[in-house]
Amino acid sequence: MSDPSPLIAELPAGAIPGIALVVKVKRRTARMRACSEMDAKAKLCAGHLKRWFTAPVAVTTEFGAELYRCEKCHTIYLPHPEEQPRTGTLSW
Ligand SMILES: [Zn+2]
């Protein structure tokens, strides 16, 4: 299965405080809730995508305030353009 979420950018190691790895920035597909990253063994990450409220200003300036991040591999996901942000009790 090919990865349906296009890669937007890659942040160099250290661009996000506390994460000494290259961090990918990808675009979510509609209703996407799990990470589609593959690890070195081509195993699907499938970590949950959570709203990232504590993103550094340098990241929100470049990619916008509404960001999601995989809780396992820290890949950053941008919102799907045709999807409204979740609010209230159904948010994640
Ligand atoms: Zn992941």
Side-chain angles (χ1 to χ4, degrees):
M1 194 178 82
S2 64
D3 188 344
S5 356
L7 183 66
I8 304 291
E10 285 188 338
L11 302 178
I16 299 168
I19 300 184
L21 296 169
V22 175
V23 176
K24 292 180 181 178
V25 180
K26 299 169 82 174
R27 172 78 63 189
R28 279 174 60 181
T29 57
R31 289 177 293 283
M32 180 181 193
R33 300 182 71 162
C35 180
S36 62
E37 269 303 292
M38 298 286 180
D39 69 11
K41 296 172 185 169
K43 187 172 179 293
L44 191 63
C45 171
H48 283 122
L49 306 185
K50 294 202 169 158
R51 184 75 183 265
W52 190 24
F53 289 107
T54 56
V57 171
V59 176
T60 58
T61 299
E62 186 164 357
F63 299 107
E66 188 193 349
L67 297 169
Y68 300 83
R69 189 162 71 148
C70 172
E71 63 182 358
K72 279 173 72 176
C73 72
H74 304 299
T75 294
I76 297 167
Y77 284 82
L78 307 183
H80 188 266
E82 295 169 15
E83 200 170 31
Q84 294 300 311
R86 300 294 197 280
T87 55
T89 55
L90 288 176
S91 65
W92 68 77

